[in-house]
Amino acid sequence: GDSVTQMEGPVTLSEEAFLTINCTYTATGYPSLFWYVQYPGEGLQLLLKATKADDKGSNKGFEATYRKETTSFHLEKGSVQVSDSAVYFCALSSNAGGTSYGKLTFGQGTILTVHP
Amino acid sequence: DTGVSQDPRHKITKRGQNVTFRCDPISEHNRLYWYRQTLGQGPEFLTYFQNEAQLEKSRLLSDRFSAERPKGSFSTLEIQRTEQGDSAMYLCASSTTGQGHEAFFGQGTRLTVV
């Protein structure tokens, strides 16, 4: 079945540091890939997405590129801020059709803490 | 539109009691999903509706769990004879149809079984 593996956390960085959170996946067909973020006390929000190989999703300075050859979708940001402190989830949605369409399979989440 | 809303936000119940949660999706969304999230883990899929039809259920959804979406609008998730292992955050999400369409999540209902 489908699965998503995220790098072990938590991740602690100083403000303006470079961020990478690794994500690899296993899926049949060509899934859509997502990064969701959960800020303290809030619900899950979509951060960015990519729907086909070599697509780059970007939002709020975060980027991730859909790499089919390495089955990866690593999240990066060049300069993190204290306000980026949150839990980040990598997820996939199978596009194999049928009733599984749109269902999300999540990684375990990575806690990011950014210090001033 | 206020997004996906869930009620209640918190529920504490005694083991063996029944509980029911409600989810109101974004009004034009025909897909509705329920997920369960335990501490330190990502959300796990429970079940999915397209309009009023329940099209998929996870193996995680035991016979004690039942979900409905009458008239394709709001949805309810009922857990009968709750067990301590049912303690978790229950998340509802909705989306439109189509590949890669964003799922919008509610803030969840946190269930504690004592």
Side-chain angles (χ1 to χ4, degrees):
Chain A
D2 298 341
S3 67
V4 176
T5 302
Q6 287 182 235
M7 65 184 291
E8 295 293 327
V11 175
T12 302
L13 295 173
S14 297
E15 207 164 26
E16 299 184 3
F18 183 84
L19 168 71
T20 300
I21 301 177
N22 289 339
C23 171
T24 57
Y25 67 89
T26 302
T28 53
Y30 302 95
S32 295
L33 301 175
F34 305 84
W35 277 98
Y36 277 82
V37 60
Q38 190 169 33
Y39 297 104
E42 299 185 16
L44 280 166
Q45 305 172 25
L46 179 67
L47 180 60
L48 53 84
K49 69 178 183 182
T51 58
K52 61 182 187 297
D54 300 325
D55 269 2
K56 177 185 284 188
S58 60
N59 186 27
K60 299 181 180 180
F62 291 89
E63 294 182 338
T65 301
Y66 189 139
R67 300 289 188 199
K68 181 175 177 292
E69 63 277 12
T70 55
T71 61
S72 64
F73 192 55
H74 304 322
L75 182 69
E76 296 182 336
K77 186 174 186 182
S79 176
V80 294
Q81 305 301 311
V82 173
S83 58
D84 294 326
S85 297
V87 185
Y88 292 81
F89 293 93
C90 185
L92 69 82
S93 173
S94 172
N95 68 350
T99 58
S100 294
Y101 203 91
K103 177 182 75 175
L104 290 166
T105 300
F106 286 88
Q108 72 269 35
T110 300
I111 300 172
L112 171 65
T113 303
V114 180
H115 293 298
Chain B
D1 194 341
T2 57
V4 178
S5 61
Q6 293 188 243
D7 182 71
R9 294 288 308 280
H10 303 273
K11 178 70 176 179
I12 300 174
T13 190
K14 292 183 178 179
R15 190 173 51 188
Q17 297 295 303
N18 299 344
V19 294
T20 300
F21 310 141
R22 177 180 170 122
C23 171
D24 287 274
I26 294 172
S27 57
E28 63 267 26
H29 287 180
N30 56 356
R31 289 182 167 176
L32 186 148
Y33 305 83
W34 285 98
Y35 292 83
R36 181 170 67 188
Q37 185 178 18
T38 53
L39 199 62
Q41 300 297 317
E44 295 175 295
F45 170 79
L46 292 179
T47 190
Y48 153 59
F49 291 85
Q50 181 147 325
N51 300 312
E52 66 276 9
Q54 188 175 19
L55 297 184
E56 187 172 349
K57 293 195 294 185
S58 164
R59 292 182 295 107
L60 294 175
L61 214 64
S62 76
D63 291 345
R64 297 184 296 105
F65 288 70
S66 62
E68 295 182 339
R69 193 184 182 194
K71 303 178 183 178
S73 55
F74 72 93
S75 176
T76 59
L77 177 68
E78 181 183 17
I79 309 174
Q80 296 182 326
R81 305 181 304 281
T82 52
E83 302 173 356
Q84 286 190 320
D86 297 331
S87 296
M89 178 75 84
Y90 290 84
L91 299 171
C92 177
S94 69
S95 75
T96 57
T97 52
Q99 180 184 352
H101 281 210
E102 177 181 356
F104 291 81
F105 282 80
Q107 292 192 288
T109 295
R110 181 169 294 284
L111 173 66
T112 303
V113 181
V114 297

